[in-house]
Amino acid sequence: MKKYIFLFFLSCSFSVFSQEKAQNDDLIGLRAIGSPANPKVKMSWNHYNDYAMISRFCQDLAKAYPDLVKIESMGKSYQGRDMWVLTITDFRTGTANRKPGFYIDGNIHSNEIQGTEVSMYTAWYLAESFASVPFVKQLLQDKVFYITPTINPDAREDFLKNPNNANSPRSGMMALDDDGDGVADEDKYDDLDGDGNIVLMRRKSATGRWKIDPENPQRMIQVKQDEKGDYEMLGYEGLDNDGDGQVNEDVTGYYDPNRDWGWNWQPDYIQRGALYYPGTLPETKNIKNFVMNHPNIAGAQSYHNYGGMFLRGPGAEEDAPFYVAQDAAVYDYFGKIGEKMNPGYKYFVIYKDLYTVYGGEIDWMALGRGIFTFSTELLTSYKLFNKNTEEGRYQNNEFDEFSKLLLFDDAYVTWKPFKHPQYGDIEIGGPKKNYVRAHPGFMLEEDAHRNMAFTILHASQMPKLEVLDLKQKPLAGGLTEITATIFNQKVIPTHSAHDVKYKIERPDYITLKRKCSSRHAG
């Protein structure tokens, strides 16, 4: 009898030990390299977050890591939402605002949604990896990050919650009278079939210049000059809501939050999307105030879509002389490495390789504040099949093929008939609002990680000073002359050449303190 009792207790003891061991392990199995194990803040990165989810994430991260993460609002949006900022650093090692600072934001254009998730992923990865990745630990001891997941929270919420297409609303939610009839935003898109997507309208026409792609019935292609078409394209779903004979001519907005900045601002008749004067928007003012109140910011990153581009300024050719050779060399260093880190992405200069932008955030940061700044256009068709297409951005059919082969046609609304009060018998169909510009879920985490890594490369190369040599020389009157050789270990200088030339920030001040020791008699 005693023998069985002993074996029973032995068995119980082993079972408890096994449970404790399993609970102490990061994971039961094998942690995937590069991913935080058993994170305190449980997140999946295959979906898009609304404002409540973003707010909860920021609060949860700050609560889980009080020594690493602080949350604050930089101010209110146009509709009164808080614009959250996460300050991330090792608060136990030095004063945060005396460390080199790196500013990150996303989603200035509300339909360019994944910039928010990349920003959130960066904050999450830094906090969750601090204890296990020595590089991240050292980074947060030396630097401080200021991360604002969305700087257009009002229109982002509209994009997520209301019927839209992939391109609307690019603007914010301030109402404007686009058609000059004295009423603002009275002829918006209309979700004709009530499916939550604003897709395209087509109509059979003897003079049409479009036909159905014989290899993909979902896709419309233009006919050749000597070829007869079957359809005319009527634009996005909509009605003539104000009876003026036009459809969708007064939608939400329109203005462009990335044309509202003070450097080389131009009025709307020159730069489409500009408002009444630079800094019209409360969101722009909030960011400017935050950056001005944090002169330690030495690097910045803004996330947009689409095109797979690491962009630097200037936005306009006439500003090219302000990007002098010393500063351009710093940008070139990061841009060329970035192309290796994220295959399919290219390092470009905005005005030269993309188009002219007046009054953009990137130039206000780089030239107005002397901050080394990149703007990244997330996602590119290269990512679909890991190859470049020979056709142009709007001519290739890779997104259609990708939807068919990997998404099982989940990305498109199948064409269906509709009786339109103005156009008569039409058909509606086309890509859903969360396709083409926005990453499919399974691709989002990889691109978030690669772009986060590019940003961390940039941040890690902000200045770090080292005293290499120290000499003392006694002088008359009990004074001592100190000669110190100070070396910057990193790629980014303590001031950009543009900053030095135009005296944007105060010069460097270096303080040397003598370490004193004392003995106490026993």
Side-chain angles (χ1 to χ4, degrees), residues 221-232:
I221 56 176
Q222 280 188 293
V223 297
K224 298 176 182 178
Q225 289 182 333
D226 60 349
E227 187 180 4
K228 185 176 181 297
D230 302 314
Y231 288 90
E232 60 179 325

Side-chain angles (χ1 to χ4, degrees), residues 447-498:
D447 219 23
H449 188 92
R450 288 183 182 274
N451 281 282
M452 176 271 296
F454 173 75
T455 297
I456 284 182
L457 170 70
H458 185 175
S460 70
Q461 291 300 323
M462 291 190 299
K464 184 174 182 179
L465 303 184
E466 179 183 2
V467 180
L468 294 182
D469 186 40
L470 197 63
K471 296 179 181 178
Q472 301 183 50
K473 177 181 176 181
L475 300 176
L479 300 175
T480 302
E481 178 185 279
I482 305 294
T483 303
T485 301
I486 310 296
F487 175 71
N488 179 13
Q489 304 174 24
K490 302 297 183 177
V491 170
I492 297 178
T494 56
H495 292 262
S496 66
H498 179 79

Side-chain angles (χ1 to χ4, degrees), residues 389-445:
T389 178
E390 295 180 359
E391 298 174 301
R393 173 176 172 182
Y394 298 106
Q395 287 72 46
N396 74 71
N397 68 342
E398 289 180 316
F399 279 97
D400 307 273
E401 290 183 317
F402 186 84
S403 174
K404 180 179 179 180
L405 296 174
L406 282 94
L407 304 177
F408 316 107
D409 284 330
D410 181 37
Y412 287 84
V413 174
T414 303
W415 291 96
K416 67 185 76 171
F418 183 81
K419 180 73 72 174
H420 195 282
Q422 283 84 42
Y423 295 140
D425 292 323
I426 67 168
E427 297 171 29
I428 55 176
K432 297 177 181 178
K433 70 178 180 181
N434 54 345
Y435 192 53
V436 181
R437 280 187 173 274
H439 290 75
F442 74 94
M443 297 173 64
L444 182 57
E445 183 168 1

Side-chain angles (χ1 to χ4, degrees), residues 117-129:
E117 277 64 38
V118 176
S119 300
M120 291 169 63
Y121 180 87
T122 303
W124 178 82
Y125 189 90
L126 289 171
E128 298 288 358
S129 302

Side-chain angles (χ1 to χ4, degrees), residues 190-382:
D190 299 281
D191 184 11
L192 302 180
D193 58 353
D195 68 350
N197 292 287
I198 299 297
V199 292
L200 296 167
M201 302 186 294
R202 71 185 185 189
R203 180 171 61 182
K204 288 269 191 178
S205 172
T207 60
R209 302 302 300 159
W210 294 81
K211 69 177 182 179
I212 298 173
D213 186 341
E215 297 182 1
N216 184 351
Q218 185 60 48
R219 183 171 185 246
M220 300 298 294
I221 56 176
Q222 280 188 293
V223 297
K224 298 176 182 178
Q225 289 182 333
D226 60 349
E227 187 180 4
K228 185 176 181 297
D230 302 314
Y231 288 90
E232 60 179 325
M233 302 304 295
L234 302 172
Y236 285 111
E237 283 181 88
L239 304 171
D240 180 13
N241 293 299
D242 56 358
D244 65 356
Q246 300 182 72
V247 173
N248 301 337
E249 84 283 358
D250 198 350
V251 297
T252 301
Y254 171 80
Y255 55 90
D256 189 331
N258 200 35
R259 306 296 184 266
D260 190 45
W261 301 77
W263 185 275
N264 203 355
W265 180 88
Q266 299 292 334
D268 184 73
Y269 65 85
I270 294 175
Q271 175 60 76
R272 178 73 174 113
L275 273 167
Y276 314 118
Y277 52 83
T280 300
L281 300 173
E283 294 89 349
T284 307
K285 294 176 183 177
N286 293 338
I287 299 165
K288 286 180 177 179
N289 288 337
F290 185 87
V291 172
M292 294 291 288
N293 289 329
H294 293 81
N296 59 316
I297 293 175
Q301 171 71 54
S302 182
Y303 288 115
H304 297 239
N305 78 37
Y306 155 90
M309 293 174 272
F310 301 114
L311 297 173
R312 75 156 173 93
E317 185 174 8
E318 56 263 39
D319 289 330
F322 291 112
Y323 282 78
V324 298
Q326 301 97 303
D327 293 343
V330 174
Y331 285 106
D332 291 347
Y333 171 84
F334 294 118
K336 291 173 183 177
I337 296 177
E339 290 182 335
K340 180 182 292 187
M341 297 173 72
N342 207 341
Y345 279 52
K346 299 297 181 183
Y347 165 51
F348 285 157
V349 177
I350 295 174
Y351 85 87
K352 186 166 60 175
D353 301 307
L354 192 59
Y355 45 67
T356 297
V357 174
Y358 293 110
E361 180 188 22
I362 192 170
D363 281 335
W364 183 83
M365 289 280 193
L367 301 180
R369 301 303 308 147
I371 298 167
F372 287 97
T373 306
F374 279 97
S375 176
T376 299
E377 299 286 351
L378 299 164
L379 188 59
T380 168
S381 60
Y382 177 94

